[in-house]
Amino acid sequence: MASLKDLKVRINSVKSTQKITKAMKMVAAAKLRRATERAEAGRPYATRLSDVVSSLASRITVGPQSPKLIAGTGKDETHLIIVATADKGLAGAFSTNIVKAARAKAESLEAHGKSVYFYVVGRKSKAILNRVFPGKIIGEYDTMAVKNPGYEHAQAVADDIIDRYESGRFDVAHLAYAEFKSTLSQVPQVDQIIPVVPAALEETKGASAAVEYEPGEEEILEALLPKNVAIQIFRAMLENQAGFYGSQMTAMDNATRNAGDMINRLTIKYNRQRQAAITTELVEIISGAEAL
């Protein structure tokens, strides 16, 4: 049984931990507001650009002169999954859930005889992927020093990915990230970003007669396709940042509550042992007095 001194030390230790988790919750809450604003502001543009590119892709006839980002490599054998996660922990299962979604996608592709490789954005996925898929990480982008992801960071990742694609390192690229829904909900997504998936015919039928493109669909696509890859990666970074702070705030709130519960239990235990010790001392004093 722990002594009164040991219990007192544990209570003080848990109180110190509670102060830290409470402070981290407040910091995450403050950063969450700004991150949420950025994610929500960037979402409509990224979605609309993706829709425009998909719509354009559905209207052209793919040929030798078509941009490779829409025409593809002519094969579907090697897939690259860009896994965008956080760099830090203390955010519950946020990064783990993204890795799980990427792992499920990879295992599904491998079950169909495809080769799968990974490109890591953020450190938290690297250790898990190296353990489950040894030797499959072919590239990474370190965001540890990036406090607020900017378009230039997404552009750097996109340029590296497109260079690898143009050199024939892979045939299809997927982007794994967590879409921010609310503080309590971040939904892992795995979207194909290379080559572009053409929109379904029924989605473009109504607009096809009312829109004319100048100089032409293929010329526009050649300019928009690299930008679309960067924008989708930028969106993933913004969504991840908001989701990370939301998940961290929730995790720190739970940790603060758990610390409070533990303090209460330890305090009750400490008071009971202290009362028992006092009672024992009183009994000994009374017994000694009676003996005299």
Side-chain angles (χ1 to χ4, degrees), residues 261-280:
D261 293 339
M262 183 175 291
I263 290 170
N264 290 336
R265 291 195 299 269
L266 289 174
T267 301
I268 291 172
K269 187 175 182 180
Y270 174 83
N271 290 337
R272 286 177 177 173
Q273 284 192 214
R274 182 169 176 271
Q275 185 63 47
I278 293 173
T279 302
T280 301

Side-chain angles (χ1 to χ4, degrees), residues 54-115:
S54 297
S55 177
L56 285 170
S58 67
R59 300 179 189 186
I60 69 170
T61 301
V62 177
Q65 303 302 320
S66 299
K68 194 174 181 181
L69 287 172
I70 188 173
T73 61
K75 299 181 295 181
D76 183 27
E77 299 301 321
T78 305
H79 290 246
L80 178 69
I81 301 179
I82 307 163
V83 186
T85 61
D87 289 293
K88 301 176 182 178
L90 300 178
F94 174 75
S95 294
T96 303
N97 288 337
I98 299 175
V99 176
K100 283 182 179 179
R103 178 179 176 180
K105 182 67 175 179
E107 291 174 346
S108 175
L109 290 169
E110 288 183 337
H112 288 83
K114 312 297 183 182
S115 298

Side-chain angles (χ1 to χ4, degrees), residues 7-25:
L7 288 173
K8 193 68 174 178
V9 169
R10 288 187 62 187
I11 291 172
N12 291 333
S13 176
V14 177
K15 284 182 177 179
S16 298
T17 301
Q18 187 183 43
K19 290 180 181 179
I20 294 172
T21 57
K22 188 175 182 179
M24 290 186 67
K25 174 193 170 183

Side-chain angles (χ1 to χ4, degrees), residues 32 138 177 183 247:
L32 174 63
I138 63 172
Y177 65 101
T183 304
S247 184

Side-chain angles (χ1 to χ4, degrees), residues 12-287:
N12 291 333
S13 176
V14 177
K15 284 182 177 179
S16 298
T17 301
Q18 187 183 43
K19 290 180 181 179
I20 294 172
T21 57
K22 188 175 182 179
M24 290 186 67
K25 174 193 170 183
M26 295 174 65
V27 171
K31 293 182 177 181
L32 174 63
R33 183 184 62 83
R34 176 60 177 161
T36 302
E37 290 175 354
R38 297 185 71 204
E40 291 177 346
R43 193 178 297 161
Y45 180 77
T47 302
R48 184 57 180 163
L49 180 59
S50 179
D51 291 343
V52 169
V53 171
S54 297
S55 177
L56 285 170
S58 67
R59 300 179 189 186
I60 69 170
T61 301
V62 177
Q65 303 302 320
S66 299
K68 194 174 181 181
L69 287 172
I70 188 173
T73 61
K75 299 181 295 181
D76 183 27
E77 299 301 321
T78 305
H79 290 246
L80 178 69
I81 301 179
I82 307 163
V83 186
T85 61
D87 289 293
K88 301 176 182 178
L90 300 178
F94 174 75
S95 294
T96 303
N97 288 337
I98 299 175
V99 176
K100 283 182 179 179
R103 178 179 176 180
K105 182 67 175 179
E107 291 174 346
S108 175
L109 290 169
E110 288 183 337
H112 288 83
K114 312 297 183 182
S115 298
V116 181
Y117 296 93
F118 297 93
Y119 189 101
V120 175
V121 180
R123 295 186 176 185
K124 294 304 290 184
S125 62
K126 189 173 180 180
I128 302 175
L129 292 175
N130 271 330
R131 185 178 69 252
V132 181
F133 301 96
K136 293 290 187 176
I137 297 178
I138 63 172
E140 63 178 295
Y141 185 81
D142 189 2
T143 57
M144 190 65 184
V146 178
K147 293 183 178 179
N148 293 308
Y151 179 73
E152 65 275 12
H153 304 116
Q155 185 68 65
V157 177
D159 290 344
D160 191 11
I161 296 296
I162 292 173
D163 287 344
R164 293 170 185 269
Y165 178 68
E166 296 286 353
S167 63
R169 299 284 298 277
F170 61 90
D171 303 313
V172 182
H174 309 270
L175 178 60
Y177 65 101
E179 183 179 4
F180 178 77
K181 296 292 186 181
S182 68
T183 304
L184 299 176
S185 177
Q186 302 87 34
V187 183
Q189 304 283 342
V190 182
D191 302 329
Q192 180 177 321
I193 59 173
I194 300 177
V196 173
V197 179
L201 181 62
E202 57 270 16
E203 295 178 12
T204 60
K205 187 180 297 183
S208 60
V211 180
E212 293 184 3
Y213 294 95
E214 183 66 32
E217 287 89 343
E218 290 195 6
E219 289 82 357
I220 295 173
L221 277 172
E222 191 169 357
L224 284 183
L225 287 172
K227 185 178 183 66
N228 180 57
V229 174
I231 288 295
Q232 300 310 318
I233 294 174
F234 185 39
R235 176 192 176 180
M237 288 181 169
L238 294 179
E239 297 276 357
N240 275 355
Q241 187 181 46
F244 170 77
Y245 287 130
S247 184
Q248 186 178 66
M249 189 179 77
T250 301
M252 292 301 99
D253 181 59
N254 291 336
T256 302
R257 293 174 184 272
N258 291 338
D261 293 339
M262 183 175 291
I263 290 170
N264 290 336
R265 291 195 299 269
L266 289 174
T267 301
I268 291 172
K269 187 175 182 180
Y270 174 83
N271 290 337
R272 286 177 177 173
Q273 284 192 214
R274 182 169 176 271
Q275 185 63 47
I278 293 173
T279 302
T280 301
E281 290 179 1
L282 288 174
V283 170
E284 290 176 352
I285 291 172
I286 292 171
S287 299

